[in-house]
Each structure stands twice: as C-alpha cells, then as structure tokens.
Amino acid sequence: MATELTWAWEPGEQPAFTPRHATVPRLALERLHRARDHVVLGWFHRYPARFAAEVVTDMLVRVVTEARRPVARVLDPFCGTGSVVAAGRQLGLAAIGLELSTLGVTVGRLRLDPPADPWTAAAACERLAAIPPAVESRVEPELADWLGTANARHLTAIKPALDEIEDERTRRFITVAVSQSLRPSSRWLPGSVKATADPRRDPIPLAHSLVRWARQLARDCETERNALTGVPSEAAIVHGNARKLPLADGGVDAIVTSPPYFITYDYFEIQRLSYLAFGWPMPRRDQIGAKYGHHPLPASVALPEAFRSWYEHEFRAERTFLGRALRAYTQDLRTHLAEAARVVAPGGLVAYSVANSVRAGRVFDLVSGFAELLGEAGFADVHALPRVQAGRRILPPGRDVRSGRFSSDAGRAGVREYIVFGQR
Ligand SMILES: C[S@@+](CC[C@H](N)C(=O)[O-])C[C@H]1O[C@@H](n2cnc3c(N)ncnc32)[C@H](O)[C@@H]1O
C-alpha cells in the first residue's frame, strides 16, 4: 500500500521562502542592453552562504559600470548554488560558474536548466514520496541513524526509483528535493553547521518533506525561468577546483564571487546527509579554507600583514591545526588569485565578497589580508567597500553565546561584510 501523504499546502498558504527581487539601476541598464530592470532569485536549497539577490545584483552592476572595458563575460569561481550565474544571465551577460561540491553543482545546474515543466517534476517527486517503504533499510548505517528507521526504509525504496527516471532534468530536480529534505527529516540539530544530533528531535516523515520541498523547487524554477523572457541564456556551471581555472588567458571580463572564508563552513560536513545518501565524493583536501588536515608549510610561505599576529599568537603558528590552516588558506588563495589574474582580460574588474569576523573578542581582518593578496597577484586599485546588507546574509551576524551555533540574533559576535575590488 502507498504511504499516505498528510502534509499539503493550505489554501492561500505561501511556500516557505519567497523569491527575492533586486532593482537594476538605470545607469547599469544603459550599458546592459539586454538586461531586465530587476533581478529575481529563487530560494532553491538551504545551501550555506548563498548570495541574496540584492547583493549579487549590486556586485554585478558595479563591475559592469566601473570596469575599464565592456563586460560581457563574467565568472564566479566559487559559485555554490549558481546565484551569480543566474543573476548574470538575467542581466544579459554570458556567465560561467565553477564549484567544487557536487551538491552546489547539482543545485546550480537545476536552476539554469530546470525540467521543461517544473510542476510535472514536482508531481513526479510526489509519486516517489508515495512509494511504500522498503521492508528493511539499505542506506548507510550512519545515515539510517540520522533519519530513523521509518525514513531510512523509505529512502531505501525511493533511491532506485529515482535512479530509473530517464529525464536528466527531472532526476536532478528530485535529487535536490531529496537533498533538501534529509536534514528536516533527520535528528540533525536545526541550524547546526556541524553534524550534531538532537536526541529529542522526532524526524519529520520523509514523504512530507519531499512534497513540501518539491513544490518550493517548482516555484523557484518557474520564477527564474520566467525572469529569462527575451534574454539569451548563455550560462554554464563547471565542476572543478578554483585553483586551476579551465579558461583561456583573458577569457572573462570580470569575476564576481564569494570565496570560502577562513574555517567558517565545511561545505561537505554541513550537507553530510546528502553526501551519504547519494555517495558523492567529498574532496575535503581541495576545499579552500578547511579547518583540519593541513601539513606544515615551508617558512617561505609568507602571510599577509593582517594575518601575522593571529598566526603567531592566537593560533600558535605551525603547532596548532589553526595555524597550519591559516597558512594553507593563504597559499590556496594565492594559487587561485594567480589564476584569476590570468583569466581576467586587461581592464576587467574582480569583486570578492569577504567578511571580517570577531573571534575571541578580536577582529579577524580577513578583508585586509585578502586585499593584500589581491595586490600581490597583480591587481591594481585594490579597495574594499562595505557590502549591501541584505536580509539574507553570507554569514549570520554571529554565534549563539551558549550553544556556539550560528544565530541570526547573537548580537555580540559581529560580522562585517565587504566587497574587495581589484582592477586587471
Ligand atoms: C561562500 S560559498 C559561495 C556561495 C554562492 N555565492 C551562492 O550564492 O550559492 C563558497 C563556495 O566555494 C566552494 N569551494 C570551496 N573550495 C573550492 C575550490 N577549491 N574550488 C571551487 N569551489 C570551492 C564551496 O563548496 C562553496 O560552495
């Protein structure tokens, strides 16, 4: 017998997250002849550190209006869920994104190339949700532990049915819906960036989460597709490593991005359940800004001025994993920025969104350190401007004092967000 679905949108009820709109200033419209007068971005996935429409539009508009060359091709080398690529396309730009994580690439490709009819895909997802659970769980024991027996048995039944779906776009749509459903349908402590179980949590039935997120996704796909009317859609997302950009010298006119901040998120750990469910690789060593697993580097790997005292005093140099992580981060950014300097054409602009955070009551000045590295890589006129503060931020403003979890109202630990610009 099919599982009975008891969850549904109530009449007139809005999906949980409404799309965000950002106005494109007139000055930019004079240059961007194929642009719409506003950018709209859907919600898509609870992926960490996503750009809000206002932020990404502001950054794109600045590089277009302030570069010393016409901007037609833009790159986001840390594109996450592809918000820069989606927004760039709505502005009539050719946009390319690069991302290391399979989840980010999957979400990004869904938004750029959604199913022909997203509501039909949502209906297919609902049919999958109604498949009866398997007699016993065959998912990874760790995942079964997170999900509980009922959801683990249900996922066991859903997975092969999902694999059999022939239409790639529909399969991707349902994969993202499943990914988004796993945490609410598990014992994962809500809001936690680390894999932390809440023993009191009763996982929501997977079928209910799936129906809910499939509808949210259909609405998001439809919204962004409607925003493309009349605009050519040159856009792509590449699975790769930002330390080696698969682009020709001078291949783009601008970079608009937000790189990983120092040890803020482990983008694999925070979506651990999806990686377990789909068996995706977790190339942690390639991840920039990772906290653990770095070997000491030769003394010749110098640090920017702004990082030195943190390295020597707070992080106690190579003796601690934080000290090693800071030098590895510096080195990885250098490698990436050398590539950025290679692929941006002369006269092009780069815009990197980075934030200063407060650690142990002191400001960790990532912005100054990053600006120094940008100058070192050969960019000119390097300067940082405070970022548009959108409702949805790159980082929540702080951590809850008691739990240590990221929190939107932990006023004591501040985060200041900036855009660092550099001219090629
Ligand atoms: C701050 S997030 C970007 C989020 C994005 N702006 C969005 O709106 O979804 C940084 C991204 O960099 C990715 N990343 C980390 N190391 C990388 C690497 N070596 N190459 C490419 N991407 C990497 C992470 O997986 C993460 O998605």
Side-chain angles (χ1 to χ4, degrees):
M1 209 187 73
T3 308
E4 202 176 310
L5 297 177
T6 51
W7 190 90
W9 296 116
E10 295 300 324
E13 189 190 7
Q14 282 295 310
F17 299 94
T18 46
R20 296 279 292 247
H21 295 251
T23 307
V24 181
R26 198 132 43 90
L27 181 64
L29 289 173
E30 283 166 15
R31 300 217 181 170
L32 294 163
H33 302 297
R34 293 178 302 189
R36 292 158 45 84
D37 61 2
H38 68 275
V39 164
V40 56
L41 294 184
W43 187 86
F44 284 97
H45 195 279
R46 194 190 297 275
Y47 192 89
R50 286 159 306 152
F51 271 142
E54 301 90 311
V55 175
V56 70
T57 305
D58 180 60
M59 289 173 77
L60 283 164
V61 161
R62 281 174 190 269
V63 298
V64 166
T65 52
E66 292 172 20
R68 297 201 188 119
R69 61 178 290 120
V71 173
R73 295 155 302 165
V74 62
L75 165 72
D76 180 348
F78 300 98
C79 76
T81 55
S83 48
V84 169
V85 184
R89 192 166 64 150
Q90 290 177 31
L91 294 173
L93 300 166
I96 179 161
L98 186 103
E99 170 57 45
L100 181 69
S101 76
T102 306
L103 178 59
V105 169
T106 308
V107 178
R109 288 182 179 161
L110 169 67
R111 77 196 302 173
L112 295 184
D113 188 17
D117 176 5
W119 293 101
T120 304
C125 192
E126 290 187 27
R127 282 197 296 281
L128 237 62
I131 290 178
V135 177
E136 59 182 44
S137 164
R138 288 195 192 285
V139 302
E140 283 258 339
E142 185 197 334
L143 182 59
D145 222 38
W146 284 107
L147 297 176
T149 312
N151 283 341
R153 285 173 46 213
H154 202 177
L155 185 62
T156 302
I158 287 172
K159 273 282 303 298
L162 170 58
D163 292 342
E164 272 171 24
I165 293 177
E166 278 175 14
D167 179 55
E168 193 190 342
R169 297 185 180 100
T170 305
R171 217 172 42 241
R172 196 154 51 210
F173 179 102
I174 298 175
T175 301
V176 174
V178 170
S179 163
Q180 175 51 44
S181 299
L182 291 173
R183 270 176 52 176
S185 288
S186 77
R187 299 200 176 87
W188 192 286
L189 184 68
S192 174
V193 293
K194 294 210 181 93
T196 310
D198 178 352
R200 284 161 309 175
R201 187 155 182 207
D202 202 8
I204 297 169
L206 185 59
H208 300 177
S209 300
L210 264 176
V211 172
R212 175 187 176 132
W213 295 114
R215 292 179 188 182
Q216 171 81 44
L217 271 185
R219 214 269 314 265
D220 288 337
C221 288
E222 190 176 52
T223 303
E224 287 198 13
R225 169 173 291 163
N226 290 346
L228 285 180
T229 323
V231 176
S233 53
E234 252 185 281
I237 294 201
V238 178
H239 202 169
N241 189 331
R243 284 180 295 188
K244 184 147 183 38
L245 299 176
L247 292 168
D249 297 1
V252 295
D253 306 309
I255 286 179
V256 168
T257 195
S258 171
Y261 303 164
F262 178 59
I263 61 167
T264 301
Y265 289 117
D266 179 328
Y267 289 88
F268 300 112
E269 181 72 357
I270 196 172
Q271 303 291 346
R272 186 171 178 77
L273 305 190
S274 297
Y275 285 84
L276 288 173
F278 294 108
W280 292 330
M282 290 195 250
R284 285 217 163 85
R285 282 188 171 274
D286 289 338
Q287 187 175 195
I288 295 180
K291 198 165 181 177
Y292 301 110
H294 303 287
H295 298 298
L297 286 165
S300 54
V301 177
L303 288 160
E305 173 70 37
F307 295 169
R308 271 180 222 150
S309 119
W310 279 88
Y311 173 74
E312 295 293 346
H313 302 116
E314 276 79 2
F315 299 157
R316 293 191 290 120
E318 298 296 290
R319 293 191 292 285
T320 67
F321 65 85
L322 284 174
R324 295 193 293 274
L326 185 59
R327 285 223 299 169
Y329 181 61
T330 302
Q331 191 62 353
D332 287 345
L333 285 181
R334 268 198 190 107
T335 311
H336 161 67
L337 290 174
E339 278 287 90
R342 179 182 68 76
V343 302
V344 176
L349 252 187
V350 299
Y352 284 81
S353 175
V354 286
N356 287 340
S357 53
V358 177
R359 292 170 193 266
R362 278 194 59 209
V363 176
F364 177 70
D365 192 355
L366 175 59
V367 175
S368 300
F370 192 88
E372 192 177 323
L373 292 173
L374 209 52
E376 200 186 274
F379 288 90
D381 190 21
V382 174
H383 61 284
L385 295 177
R387 212 190 75 181
V388 165
Q389 296 297 323
R392 256 181 268 148
R393 310 160 68 96
I394 281 279
L395 287 180
R399 288 176 190 263
D400 183 277
V401 184
R402 270 182 310 120
S403 67
R405 283 155 50 195
F406 280 107
S407 153
S408 51
D409 57 7
R412 289 217 263 148
V415 171
R416 297 263 151 69
E417 285 152 343
Y418 292 84
I419 306 171
V420 186
F421 293 93
Q423 181 90 43
R424 198 63 197 105

